[in-house]
Amino acid sequence: MSSRAVRFSILGTTVIVMAVVAPFLPSKWMTTLTYAQIFAVYAMGWDILSGMTGQISFGHIFFVAVAGYTTGLLNLYVKWPIWATIPLGVMMAVLAGLLFSVPALRLRGPYFSLITLILPLAAARLVIILADWTGGELGKFGVAALCPFPDFKANQYCNYYSLWGVMTGVGLFLVWLSTSRVGKILEAIRENEEAVEAAGINTAKYKIFAFAVSACVVGLGGAFSVHANEAIFFNSLMSLTTSLEMIVASVIGGMGIIVGALWGGFLVRGGEQVIRELAQLKLPIGTEGLALSFLERWATLIFFTLLIILLFFARQGLLPLLAGLFRRRRGEVRGG
Amino acid sequence: MALLHVENLRKSFGGLMAVKDLSFHVEPGEIVGLIGPNGAGKSTVFNLIMGILKPDRGQIFFKGQEITHWPTYKIVNAGIARVFQIAQYFPRKTVYENVEISAIPNEIFTRAPDPTPKTLQSCERTGLCEHSSHENHCICREELPGMLPQGGLRRLELARAIGTDPELLLLDEPFAGLSPAEVDEISHLIASLRNEGQTIVLVDHNMRGVMRLVDRIVVLCFGEKIAEGTPEEVARNPQVQEAYLAGGGF
Ligand SMILES: Nc1ncnc2c1ncn2[C@@H]1O[C@H](COP(=O)(O)OP(=O)(O)OP(=O)(O)O)[C@@H](O)[C@H]1O
Ligand SMILES: [Mg+2]
């Protein structure tokens, strides 16, 4: 799991499968997977900081919001094109990440986690206070679209493959980084920070760097999501659930290995969709209206229960579990 | 000029004076033993030198430069490395990967050379190579540190320290918890480092273990230096004998 080649092959296989299956997907699934790709970007971005260094952030949705609101509002009011506003949004997220990380990384363990949780709460307040301008909890429509095709189907494909490109680029960069010298240091910080200092490494510098990269990646996902939606959705850019789901995705897939977060991201978003569809299948005719939302709510609960059971049996995450099984099989062959 | 010079160093924890106005120096190429009974303040002195604890007063000079308030990583890069009393390693990294961390420079954006040769060299100098019949160069062990015996862990600690290219090596009780055979092994290893010209400060409870290794001894008792000199001089010193009788072991 630690080798660069293994991680690149898992990443490569995954993105190739994602590229190939798209034309065979039902429309609903195509939409689900379009957004699952953004979510996978969030999860991988979370993983490079929190998964690798062990500094668990609860509030990474904050960087989604900073980049998303920056690009959306600049596009809406100043009328700048998205190729200018998306990079600006990402830069704002990095800047916010840097400013925040310097004091926050002095804190350890639960203190750090709690302080990160305050960020998105404060940001949500600010957006509501400035509702005249930001649209508050209702959000804003009319943001420039990522894909300007008049045809719905063409647009759907364009969105899917654009976000596929973002996910693939982010995945390649993060897998490379996580297995580089920097990645090795970040992992070592998680295991024993004092021993890393004793090796002559300024751990604060490395953690701040990881924070900036993490904010950049998550911000990139957030900025693209606004233009894929053609709207600023308060509920999605400020969702604490999404913030926590990034952690769930990374833990389920396997923390600190990037490809674990990628798989976890698809598992969480894909799993939610599967359960939702199953719930709809069982609907008695004539009661759709009421029962639907009721069942959907249960579906989420059932889904999270399944995730908890999965975590119970694969504490180190799915990918390391599979890798372990694979190694054991090979070991047996060699031994016998 | 002394390689390390400690001047009137003082550190207290609440009411307890752990290090009291301590001064000593270490010359290049020398092996100095820092001995004293339990709780004498030996580890605290190392923590002060390494910047892990801040002194209440006093100064520390390394190669003529004051390093008193430097952060740990900067002190390490200046050329001091320390082996902890309690092993400090990366439990989920292999022996090779553990040693590699010390060979990686403190630069994020760097074109510094591949850390592999340096890592292998540290493994070789501390005897952490995999024995393989058809290859004559060192391959670092690939097992996790938890699989190593106590002596192997001590070697790993030494390899991690040596990997930072120290001019001064601080060893905190390198023989503690080892079997007699392992004590011999590690003694040989330290002697071989000394023969390569490595300057070392060696902490131990008693003189017996370090007599044959050191050039000079500094004796600490309740944070104060009570004697200093060659092993023979120190062994004859009545104050030292008294301290150890009171402390319960020499
Ligand atoms: N961080 C700390 N906080 C409070 N007291 C401390 C701290 N570190 C050390 N002490 C106290 O300072 C005194 C000196 O401790 P130190 O560990 O330096 O002794 P030592 O000579 O290394 O002993 P040993 O041989 O047991 O390792 C002891 O009384 C110890 O309890
Ligand atoms: Mg001690």
Side-chain angles (χ1 to χ4, degrees), chain B residues 13 16 18-19 36-45 47 53 85 172-173 203 205 220:
Chain B
F13 300 108
L16 179 86
V19 176
N38 258 321
K42 307 178 297 288
S43 297
T44 304
V45 171
N47 283 332
L53 294 175
Q85 185 167 0
D172 200 348
E173 302 205 25
V203 154
H205 271 146
L220 275 189

Side-chain angles (χ1 to χ4, degrees), chain B residues 76-101:
Chain B
V76 173
N77 291 329
I80 310 182
R82 178 257 190 99
V83 168
F84 290 87
Q85 185 167 0
I86 298 157
Q88 295 280 328
Y89 51 85
F90 309 112
R92 293 175 65 187
K93 287 186 176 290
T94 64
V95 169
Y96 175 85
E97 290 165 340
N98 264 271
V99 179
E100 189 186 22
I101 294 294

Side-chain angles (χ1 to χ4, degrees), chain A residues 250-327:
Chain A
S250 173
V251 172
I252 290 277
M255 273 220 277
I257 54 175
I258 307 300
V259 285
L262 174 72
W263 273 38
F266 284 118
L267 206 71
V268 167
R269 282 292 180 259
E272 279 169 357
Q273 180 65 16
V274 168
I275 301 265
R276 221 176 287 141
E277 290 191 4
L278 284 180
Q280 283 170 19
L281 276 184
K282 294 203 191 85
L283 275 185
I285 298 156
T287 59
E288 284 96 336
L290 256 175
L292 184 71
S293 73
F294 177 75
L295 276 174
E296 269 197 13
R297 249 178 263 158
W298 278 99
T300 312
L301 190 61
I302 293 164
F303 180 62
F304 274 103
T305 313
L306 286 177
L307 287 183
I308 288 165
I309 292 169
L310 182 62
L311 270 185
F312 219 78
F313 288 104
R315 215 166 286 184
Q316 77 275 51
L318 211 55
L319 276 183
L321 179 81
L322 292 176
L325 291 178
F326 181 66
R327 251 198 311 271

Side-chain angles (χ1 to χ4, degrees), chain B residues 83-87 126 148-159 172-178 186 189:
Chain B
V83 168
F84 290 87
Q85 185 167 0
I86 298 157
T126 50
L148 295 175
Q150 277 301 316
L153 268 185
R154 216 40 62 84
R155 285 174 190 278
L156 174 59
E157 294 285 290
L158 277 164
D172 200 348
E173 302 205 25
F175 305 118
L178 298 186
I186 300 296
L189 185 51

Side-chain angles (χ1 to χ4, degrees), chain B residues 5-243:
Chain B
H5 187 114
V6 169
E7 185 82 28
N8 284 321
L9 211 57
R10 174 178 285 202
K11 178 73 187 175
S12 52
F13 300 108
L16 179 86
M17 189 82 82
V19 176
K20 194 177 173 200
D21 305 327
L22 177 70
S23 301
F24 70 97
H25 63 98
V26 180
E27 298 297 328
E30 215 182 10
I31 311 275
V32 174
L34 184 62
I35 67 164
N38 258 321
K42 307 178 297 288
S43 297
T44 304
V45 171
F46 276 8
N47 283 332
L48 291 168
I49 295 173
M50 294 309 295
I52 292 168
L53 294 175
K54 298 290 166 218
D56 301 338
R57 63 181 206 214
Q59 288 165 301
I60 304 161
F61 296 90
F62 183 64
K63 293 194 284 186
Q65 192 172 23
E66 181 166 5
I67 59 165
T68 317
H69 296 288
W70 285 15
T72 303
Y73 75 89
K74 207 172 155 193
I75 293 169
V76 173
N77 291 329
I80 310 182
R82 178 257 190 99
V83 168
F84 290 87
Q85 185 167 0
I86 298 157
Q88 295 280 328
Y89 51 85
F90 309 112
R92 293 175 65 187
K93 287 186 176 290
T94 64
V95 169
Y96 175 85
E97 290 165 340
N98 264 271
V99 179
E100 189 186 22
I101 294 294
S102 297
I104 296 177
N106 180 31
E107 297 299 331
I108 295 177
F109 308 100
T110 178
R111 295 191 156 270
D114 182 15
T116 313
K118 183 107 156 286
T119 309
L120 295 180
Q121 197 194 353
S122 303
C123 283
E124 195 157 21
R125 282 175 76 189
T126 50
L128 282 170
C129 303
E130 205 86 77
H131 292 294
S132 131
S133 49
H134 38 271
E135 292 191 60
N136 47 15
H137 62 270
C138 174
I139 303 168
C140 271
R141 288 167 168 270
E142 288 294 347
E143 69 235 79
L144 295 177
M147 308 289 280
L148 295 175
Q150 277 301 316
L153 268 185
R154 216 40 62 84
R155 285 174 190 278
L156 174 59
E157 294 285 290
L158 277 164
R160 293 201 318 104
I162 285 171
T164 63
D165 286 331
E167 284 175 62
L168 174 64
L169 193 55
L170 309 178
L171 305 179
D172 200 348
E173 302 205 25
F175 305 118
L178 298 186
S179 71
E182 287 172 327
V183 169
D184 276 351
E185 273 178 42
I186 300 296
S187 289
H188 275 114
L189 185 51
I190 294 171
S192 75
L193 291 175
R194 180 187 61 184
N195 295 340
E196 290 169 28
Q198 179 70 59
T199 313
I200 299 174
V201 179
L202 185 59
V203 154
D204 210 319
H205 271 146
N206 54 46
M207 280 178 49
R208 222 175 312 138
V210 301
M211 276 284 256
R212 281 174 302 125
L213 287 169
V214 302
D215 301 310
R216 201 153 54 82
I217 285 180
V218 173
V219 186
L220 275 189
C221 190
F222 294 113
E224 272 184 289
K225 182 163 86 176
I226 58 166
E228 182 173 4
T230 64
E232 294 74 30
E233 287 166 3
V234 165
R236 281 196 304 269
N237 184 315
Q239 227 183 324
V240 174
Q241 287 169 351
E242 190 187 332

Side-chain angles (χ1 to χ4, degrees), chain A residues 1 5-15 259-260 262-263 319:
Chain A
M1 216 61 248
V6 172
R7 289 189 200 173
F8 270 123
S9 5
I10 294 173
L11 172 72
T13 317
T14 312
V15 297
V259 285
L262 174 72
W263 273 38
L319 276 183

Side-chain angles (χ1 to χ4, degrees), chain A residues 16-26 30 33 153 157 160-161:
Chain A
I16 288 169
V17 168
M18 289 301 292
V20 171
V21 298
F24 307 104
L25 292 172
M30 197 153 175
L33 289 184
K153 203 71 203 160
Y157 270 92
Y160 183 94
Y161 282 108

